[in-house]
Amino acid sequence: MKVGELARVTGLTVRTLHHWEERGLVVPSARTASGHRVYDDGDVRSVYQVVALRELGLPLEAIGGLLSSGSFADVLTAHLDQVDARLAALHALRGTLAAVVDRLRDAPDPDPSDVLMMIDEVSRVNDTFAQYFTPEQVAALRARRAEGGTAAAAWPGLIADVQAEMDAGTDPAEPRVQALAARWSELLAAFHRGDESLQRQLYRLREENPGEVTAAGGPDQAMIDYVARAGVTG
């Protein structure tokens, strides 16, 4: 098979095949009398191997070493670790973007300096959050938010309602405060889902970083005490 024919059947370009030859990845086994490249069955298999490995995202340097050594398990495991690291970074970036976008919805046409301040604040909150929860817990919490964003979206309104009752001096024993407290308990349960370790870390995060929690829109200690008097702990 000549290079043009191989390019047609594989969907690659002649230039790509020439580049792979220069890198020593797929070197044609023979040439015609006029100097044209000729690829045998083994060469064609090598082309498809390179194509498959490229689809996994491996760089050409890694593919060359892999094909020469044959240590697929080691190379692919290392590549998987790199992919996991990139995914974790992308998840963190997405969390920051989502939080900033949520805030921007409440502040149409913000000043650019305000947006930069928002990004800085959200990034600091995310960094603090990451100090208290394992990567697995963070991933689980993000998945829960994606599954049912209504629970996360309910917190700002609930906090505002509780604050209104506090400002009005309403007794925590009043039925409407009791109803708010019951909703508070439901949202807390949706957050930690019975995971005691997650629950402990949540309390610790709040106790050790009250300023950042309230700056991010969370409840302050006075509100927590108020809801506790209505029968909710946490």
Side-chain angles (χ1 to χ4, degrees):
M1 190 179 296
K2 292 184 179 179
V3 67
E5 184 182 359
L6 180 59
R8 284 193 299 273
V9 299
T10 59
L12 300 169
T13 65
V14 171
R15 183 175 180 179
T16 294
L17 291 170
H18 286 176
H19 180 59
W20 289 1
E21 179 183 351
E22 291 169 3
R23 301 294 295 268
L25 297 175
V26 182
V27 179
S29 299
R31 286 182 180 264
T32 64
S34 56
H36 294 295
R37 297 168 176 81
V38 178
Y39 295 82
D40 64 14
D41 289 344
D43 299 331
V44 174
R45 281 195 298 273
S46 295
V47 168
Y48 281 111
Q49 287 175 347
V50 175
V51 169
L53 293 170
R54 287 290 284 165
E55 288 179 351
L56 289 177
L58 268 73
L60 293 180
E61 293 82 359
I63 292 174
L66 182 58
L67 293 177
S68 62
S69 67
S71 57
F72 278 76
D74 291 341
V75 173
L76 294 182
T77 297
H79 186 57
L80 177 60
D81 291 341
Q82 294 173 4
V83 171
D84 284 340
R86 289 200 296 270
L87 285 174
L90 284 172
H91 279 305
L93 175 60
R94 189 194 182 285
T96 299
L97 285 171
V100 171
V101 169
D102 285 344
R103 293 194 180 192
L104 288 175
R105 290 195 181 102
D106 297 327
D109 301 321
D111 185 271
S113 62
D114 292 336
V115 176
L116 292 176
M117 287 179 63
M118 269 185 217
I119 294 171
D120 181 62
E121 183 178 306
V122 169
S123 295
R124 283 189 284 106
V125 169
N126 286 344
D127 289 343
T128 300
F129 195 81
Q131 294 173 19
Y132 287 83
F133 301 96
T134 66
E136 293 76 17
Q137 288 174 327
V138 172
L141 291 172
R142 286 184 178 134
R144 290 175 199 172
R145 179 173 180 171
E147 292 168 5
T150 53
W155 274 111
L158 178 59
I159 289 173
D161 290 342
V162 173
Q163 186 64 58
E165 297 296 347
M166 291 175 64
D167 293 342
T170 309
D171 191 306
E174 285 290 327
R176 62 177 178 273
V177 180
Q178 295 286 307
L180 292 173
R183 180 59 175 151
W184 191 287
S185 292
E186 291 173 4
L187 293 183
L188 279 176
F191 180 87
H192 56 68
R193 295 188 182 179
D195 185 332
E196 294 184 0
S197 173
L198 189 63
Q199 189 175 11
R200 285 194 301 271
Q201 290 302 91
L202 170 64
Y203 296 162
R204 186 170 154 243
L205 166 66
R206 192 186 63 207
E207 290 168 0
E208 296 179 359
N209 304 273
E212 289 193 23
V213 170
T214 54
D220 60 16
Q221 191 59 48
M223 182 177 293
I224 292 166
D225 293 340
Y226 181 76
V227 175
R229 290 199 299 274
V232 176
T233 57

